[in-house]
Amino acid sequence: MLNILVVGDLILDEYLFCDCLRISPEAPVPVINPKYNKLSLGGCANVALNIKKLGANVDVLSVLGNDECANFIKKMLKENEINYEIISDKNKKSSKKTRIFGQNQQIVRIDVESCEVISDDMADCLFKNIEDKNYDAIVFSDYDKGVLSPYLVKKIISFAKNKNILTLADPKKDFLKFKDIDILTPNYKEATEFLGLFDDEDDDNLSKKLILMKEKLNIKYPLITLGKNGIALYNNNTLTRHLALAKEVFDVTGAGDSVISSLAYFLSRKKDINEAIKLANKAAAIVVSKIGSYAVSIDEINEFSEDDIYKKQVKNISEFVQKNKNKKIVFTNGCFDLLHLGHLSYLRKAKQLGDLLVIGLNSDESIKRLKGLARPINDINTRLAMLCALEFIDAVIVFSDDTPLEIIKELKPDILVKGADYKDKEIVGSNFAKQTCLIDFVDGYSSTNIINKIKETQC
């Protein structure tokens, strides 16, 4: 079984659920009526709990105050069979975050804590508890509460390097103390504070920032978690984006913990970095669908379906027609290999013609027959996901024939849309549509032109 160490700030999370039905006459604030509360492990304890639930042995290394909050955290760690080496500091106030919810919406958070950085002597005392141990991975969970001093972090990273132990950190403010670590997992806000502002939707801009992070900190895998935009990794001179998989977002608490926990576990299992990120993305999607911190199991990750990415795909046309019999259906088709401005303009105009825009999408095999073996550039799943992500597209139907004739026969769209270049040409399926409409393209845009430009830049 894997053995993983988690070092960082321990926090007790309290969730107070209330009824909130009116605004106070004394001030513009909600009046709440507490119903029940829930206590759970937070901070590095939540990271440890996540790793434990995935199936590894976990040790926790930290500092707490000598108070009731500390006692409760230790009790919960013990109940969850998580080993710990915790120094009690009578001058420290253990961290507790109380989140107050009204009608399942967070209203306010109350933090009780002290955040003084631990002394080097205390760091040495902590380190003595692990210097004779072997771990598969060491995770630093930094909540800026004082446990992860630069001195302690440097000492543990050096220890890990000598023993060839994987190291990961979820940083808060001070990135530089994690120099020489294997993996850093900042979110967008944290990354901008260290690297400067950047457009996370621009690949070139994002790549430069990830390269800068790698160079400044000498890390193996620079990555940034981007919330709804997923996770970005720069590796082997290539930027890889892993799309967010969340179906519904109720509470983002603990999402970062689930990501670093999953990465530590799956990389320790010798998974490839991209595969580990895919699995971590699934864990994060599950966590944000819950209220409060939540530890995800291996079974939940394995059972998580990414099908919602393709939720606009239609496989039963007759059922779709029956369900939307009172809607004005617009249909068009294409390969949509490399989405560009021309596609977006064309599809937006098509949508404006009716209630529902349905796209017929050529399969990979169909495109190869039409355009040659070098195409498509993007496979069917990628092209399907991109079309499903566009808000003005209501449904996508994949077809393997050379033309969408069979789809049009069954769909019988109110309007069949083609490009203006079809003027005076026979349009397949037009006799099964109530109306045919031609739409002008934006000049200068095509997938072929983009591919040719890329080829020219490589010459």
Side-chain angles (χ1 to χ4, degrees):
M1 187 177 284
L2 296 175
N3 294 298
I4 296 176
L5 171 67
V6 180
V7 190
D9 304 296
L10 288 164
I11 299 171
L12 180 62
D13 284 331
E14 179 180 25
Y15 300 88
L16 181 60
F17 296 92
C18 313
D19 283 341
C20 176
L21 302 175
R22 64 191 178 95
I23 300 298
S24 170
E26 302 166 357
V29 294
V31 176
I32 61 172
N33 181 16
K35 290 299 181 182
Y36 65 95
N37 75 327
K38 173 187 172 186
L39 293 169
S40 62
L41 292 170
C44 79
N46 186 47
V47 174
L49 190 59
N50 272 268
I51 295 171
K52 180 68 179 181
K53 196 165 183 181
L54 288 171
N57 288 323
V58 189
D59 289 354
V60 167
L61 192 66
S62 191
V63 178
L64 285 172
N66 187 14
D67 48 34
E68 185 180 349
C69 179
N71 293 335
F72 195 87
I73 290 173
K74 292 175 185 177
K75 178 175 177 287
M76 289 188 72
L77 288 171
K78 190 173 182 179
E79 287 174 354
N80 285 282
E81 299 181 340
I82 295 172
N83 306 312
Y84 59 83
E85 295 293 346
I86 296 173
I87 292 178
S88 293
D89 180 358
K90 64 181 181 180
N91 297 315
K92 183 177 179 62
K93 191 179 293 182
S94 300
S95 296
K96 181 181 179 181
K97 297 180 181 179
T98 301
R99 297 172 176 89
I100 299 176
F101 287 80
Q103 314 306 118
N104 287 333
Q105 294 291 321
Q106 186 172 332
I107 299 171
V108 68
R109 192 180 87 186
I110 303 168
D111 290 4
V112 177
E113 61 193 11
S114 56
C115 303
E116 294 80 11
V117 177
I118 64 171
S119 67
D120 290 354
D121 286 343
M122 189 171 289
D124 286 333
C125 289
L126 281 173
F127 182 75
K128 285 178 182 177
N129 291 296
I130 65 165
E131 60 183 342
D132 295 327
K133 295 183 179 179
N134 287 305
Y135 294 103
D136 295 285
I138 296 176
V139 180
F140 297 94
S141 179
D142 190 3
Y143 279 80
D144 197 32
K145 308 302 180 193
V147 173
L148 290 177
S149 68
Y151 175 79
L152 177 63
V153 172
K154 183 177 181 180
K155 198 175 181 78
I156 294 178
I157 289 177
S158 177
F159 161 79
K161 290 289 183 187
N162 288 336
K163 292 200 170 189
N164 198 29
I165 298 170
L166 174 72
T167 51
L168 310 90
D170 187 2
K172 196 68 174 178
K173 293 180 180 177
D174 184 0
F175 280 47
L176 292 173
K177 68 184 176 186
F178 295 110
K179 191 173 185 296
D180 298 324
I181 203 161
D182 292 316
I183 299 174
L184 209 63
T185 64
N187 60 32
Y188 175 75
K189 181 178 180 295
E190 292 159 349
T192 58
E193 289 172 357
F194 178 61
L195 302 168
L197 286 172
F198 60 93
D199 181 358
D200 66 321
E201 295 186 356
D202 180 272
D203 285 358
D204 186 54
N205 204 329
L206 183 56
S207 295
K208 287 178 180 177
K209 293 299 184 180
L210 286 164
I211 292 169
L212 180 61
M213 187 165 75
K214 180 181 177 71
E215 291 174 346
K216 278 191 170 187
L217 301 175
N218 190 36
I219 55 181
K220 187 174 182 180
Y221 297 118
L223 62 86
I224 300 174
T225 62
L226 300 170
K228 63 182 178 61
N229 290 326
I231 298 174
L233 167 74
Y234 194 85
N235 186 38
N236 294 328
N237 298 317
T238 302
L239 173 70
T240 305
R241 289 181 180 270
H242 293 268
L243 299 177
L245 304 175
K247 301 174 184 179
E248 295 180 289
V249 178
F250 288 105
D251 185 4
V252 297
T253 303
D257 291 346
S258 70
V259 168
I260 197 166
S261 303
S262 301
L263 289 175
Y265 179 78
F266 290 114
L267 289 171
S268 295
R269 293 267 309 270
K270 307 306 178 186
K271 294 283 187 183
D272 167 79
I273 181 64
N274 283 294
E275 180 63 23
I277 292 175
K278 286 179 183 178
L279 294 166
N281 237 346
K282 290 185 179 184
I286 295 167
V287 168
V288 298
S289 70
K290 314 288 183 181
I291 291 180
S293 298
Y294 182 80
V296 181
S297 69
I298 282 287
D299 288 342
E300 286 176 294
I301 291 174
N302 290 336
E303 291 168 7
F304 182 86
S305 172
E306 297 179 38
D307 288 346
D308 269 23
I309 295 177
Y310 313 110
K311 62 184 176 183
K312 294 180 182 177
Q313 183 181 6
V314 172
K315 295 185 178 180
N316 188 324
I317 298 175
S318 60
E319 186 179 288
F320 177 82
V321 170
Q322 180 62 29
K323 182 179 177 182
N324 297 287
K325 59 185 178 182
N326 296 319
K327 301 284 181 65
K328 189 175 183 180
I329 296 175
V330 181
F331 176 84
T332 190
N333 68 282
C335 301
F336 303 102
D337 193 359
L338 299 175
L339 275 179
H340 51 69
L341 179 61
H343 288 139
L344 299 181
S345 173
Y346 173 83
L347 293 174
R348 282 186 187 277
K349 290 176 183 177
K351 168 68 177 192
Q352 292 169 3
L353 299 174
D355 299 315
L356 300 176
L357 176 58
V358 180
I359 307 297
L361 180 63
N362 292 75
S363 69
D364 292 349
E365 296 76 14
S366 173
I367 293 176
K368 289 185 187 302
R369 290 196 301 271
L370 294 171
K371 297 180 178 289
L373 295 178
R375 301 283 297 275
I377 302 299
N378 288 312
D379 65 20
I380 186 61
N381 288 331
T382 302
R383 293 182 290 117
L384 181 58
M386 288 191 294
L387 290 176
C388 287
L390 298 176
E391 74 278 5
F392 46 82
I393 291 177
D394 299 288
V396 183
I397 303 170
V398 178
F399 65 95
S400 296
D401 298 330
D402 290 345
T403 74
L405 179 60
E406 295 305 315
I407 293 176
I408 299 170
K409 276 184 182 179
E410 194 170 356
L411 189 64
K412 293 183 176 59
D414 294 278
I415 301 177
L416 175 62
V417 175
K418 296 297 288 184
D421 58 336
Y422 271 82
K423 185 178 180 181
D424 300 325
K425 295 180 182 178
E426 181 182 352
I427 297 176
V428 171
S430 59
N431 53 319
F432 295 100
K434 294 177 184 176
Q435 180 185 348
T436 301
C437 181
L438 302 183
I439 294 179
D440 289 329
F441 290 122
V442 178
D443 291 337
Y445 290 92
S446 76
S447 297
T448 301
N449 286 345
I450 292 172
I451 293 168
N452 288 337
K453 283 183 180 179
I454 292 171
K455 288 179 178 178
E456 289 171 7
T457 61
Q458 292 176 335
C459 294

